């Protein structure tokens, strides 16, 4: 029997012909925990810089085509030992996820819609030809890791514990091919507000079509590291021009796609005179963000304005600005929840976005609603209790 599989994954794991191999997925019940015996000092939540401090332990699970998945381990955080020809180092055969654990006002620790992260991780694995896994088993392993590291979850409602599941090809070969070895690991990092300017100050964007984040048929809808590494050059240029983030455009008509590493939302009066919350559709170049989906779900449930997944071009935006039809514009993602946008530099001109002048009522409402769920001020089936 071939151990392990590299086929399409669904919520419970693999589907179709591969179902018989699911017994070969790692099991949370096999988890071996040998935690750290020396402990680092916990940082002050108010002074945290994103992704620079890590907890004492990590989760690792090895895979090979010959043996399938090994048993999962929780062990002290340590450097990885990789063959210098590892496919993740040469051909970016790797992926990651981003999620958080929150300490609620009741002292309980929660994850926010973690099954959506597991679904996306499985889709990314398939696109990267990395081995699939039982998503429920991985989620339980992650829950156990957070439980072991529960004192690292900040005692603060403006901070959280960032969870970074990662899956890398460790094929010790320079051949460009599907790897026969892989490593899944999870590291944890306590984090404060994502942006140095603070958690809810508006940002300025640089929009220039000369750089493209993603394209049709590419990997823009997967959370692969290559999507991010190749964006840094444009981000540096944005900073040099006095902007904080890149507004990624696509196509001859300059479609608005994403902002930095976030999904983008526009709340405006559309061409038909309707109040509308719009975000680009999931057409293969947009990452299906968990926060994005949550905002759409909330807005549709409220039923107070039109909610659309539609294309928006820079000409649509500039026309709406000239006609005073733009109300709010914001980015959305796990790191920041929502981030208001106040300015766009486009074709040498600064476009003023009146987000802050309009409250920002809707952006603030989404921030408060999602924060209330994450920090336990409001009960919701979107929150999964860790302990």
């Amino acid at each position: 029997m071939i151990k392990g599989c590299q086929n399409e994954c669904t919520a419970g794991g693999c589907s179709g012909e591969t179902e018989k191999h699911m017994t070969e997925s790692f099991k949370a019940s096999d988890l071996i925990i040998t935690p750290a015996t020396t402990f680092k000092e916990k940082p002050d939540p108010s002074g945290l810089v994103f992704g620079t401090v890590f907890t004492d332990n990590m989760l690792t699970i090895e895979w090979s085509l010959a043996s399938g998945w090994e048993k999962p381990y929780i062990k002290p955080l340590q450097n990885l030992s990789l063959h210098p020809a590892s496919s993740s180092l040469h051909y970016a055969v790797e992926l990651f996820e981003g999620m958080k654990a929150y300490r609620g006002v009741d002292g309980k620790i929660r994850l926010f819609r973690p099954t959506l992260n597991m679904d996306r991780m499985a889709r990314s694995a398939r696109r990267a030809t990395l081995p699939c896994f039982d998503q429920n088993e991985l989620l339980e392993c992650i829950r156990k890791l957070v439980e072991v590291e529960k004192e690292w979850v900040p005692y603060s409602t403006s901070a959280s514990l960032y969870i970074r599941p990662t899956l890398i090809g460790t094929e010790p070969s320079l051949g460009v091919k599907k790897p026969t070895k892989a490593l899944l690991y999870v590291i944890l990092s306590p984090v404060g507000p994502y942006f140095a300017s603070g958690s809810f100050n508006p940002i300025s964007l640089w929009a220039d079509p000369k750089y493209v984040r993603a394209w049709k048929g590419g990997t823009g809808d997967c959370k692969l590291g290559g999507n991010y590494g190749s964006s840094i050059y444009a981000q540096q240029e944005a900073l040099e021009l006095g902007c904080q983030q890149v507004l990624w455009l696509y196509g001859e008509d300059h479609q608005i796609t994403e902002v930095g590493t976030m999904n983008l939302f526009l709340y405006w009066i559309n061409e038909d005179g309707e109040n509308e919350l719009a975000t680009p559709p999931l057409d293969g170049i947009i990452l299906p963000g968990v926060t994005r989906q949550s905002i759409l779900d909330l807005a549709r449930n409220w039923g107070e304005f039109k909610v659309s997944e539609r294309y928006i071009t820079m000409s649509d935006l500039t026309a709406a600005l000239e006609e005073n039809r733009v109300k709010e514009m914001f980015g959305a993602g796990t790191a920041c929840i929502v981030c208001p946008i106040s300015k766009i530099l486009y074709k040498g001109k600064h476009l003023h976005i009146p987000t802050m002048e309009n409250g920002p009522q809707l952006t603030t409402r989404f921030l408060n609603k999602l924060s209330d769920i994450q920090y336990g001020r409001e009960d919701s089936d979107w929150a999964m209790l860790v302990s």
Side-chain angles (χ1 to χ4, degrees), residues 33-53:
I33 304 177
T34 53
T37 53
T38 57
F39 307 104
K40 291 175 282 195
E41 190 177 342
K42 310 294 188 295
D44 179 351
S46 63
L48 290 169
V49 177
F50 183 83
T52 57
V53 176

Side-chain angles (χ1 to χ4, degrees), residues 180-234:
T180 61
K181 289 188 174 182
L183 172 67
L184 195 165
Y185 64 91
V186 182
I187 53 179
L188 308 175
S189 173
V191 294
Y194 184 70
F195 294 104
S197 59
S199 59
F200 209 57
N201 289 336
I203 59 168
S204 56
L205 309 180
W206 176 54
D208 192 309
K210 70 177 178 178
Y211 299 120
V212 179
R213 190 197 82 90
W215 49 90
K216 296 287 176 70
T219 59
D221 58 346
C222 296
K223 213 159 174 64
L224 308 185
N227 296 343
Y228 295 77
S230 59
S231 73
I232 296 170
Y233 189 80

Side-chain angles (χ1 to χ4, degrees), residues 284-321:
I285 66 170
I286 302 295
L287 187 76
V290 176
T291 309
R292 174 190 182 277
Q293 188 59 53
S294 302
I295 287 170
L296 289 172
D297 290 344
L298 286 174
R300 285 169 177 151
N301 186 53
W302 293 339
E304 297 168 18
F305 43 80
K306 187 175 184 179
V307 180
S308 303
E309 295 174 72
R310 54 163 285 182
Y311 293 106
I312 308 159
T313 65
M314 282 304 296
S315 60
D316 292 334
L317 179 63
T318 51
L321 286 169

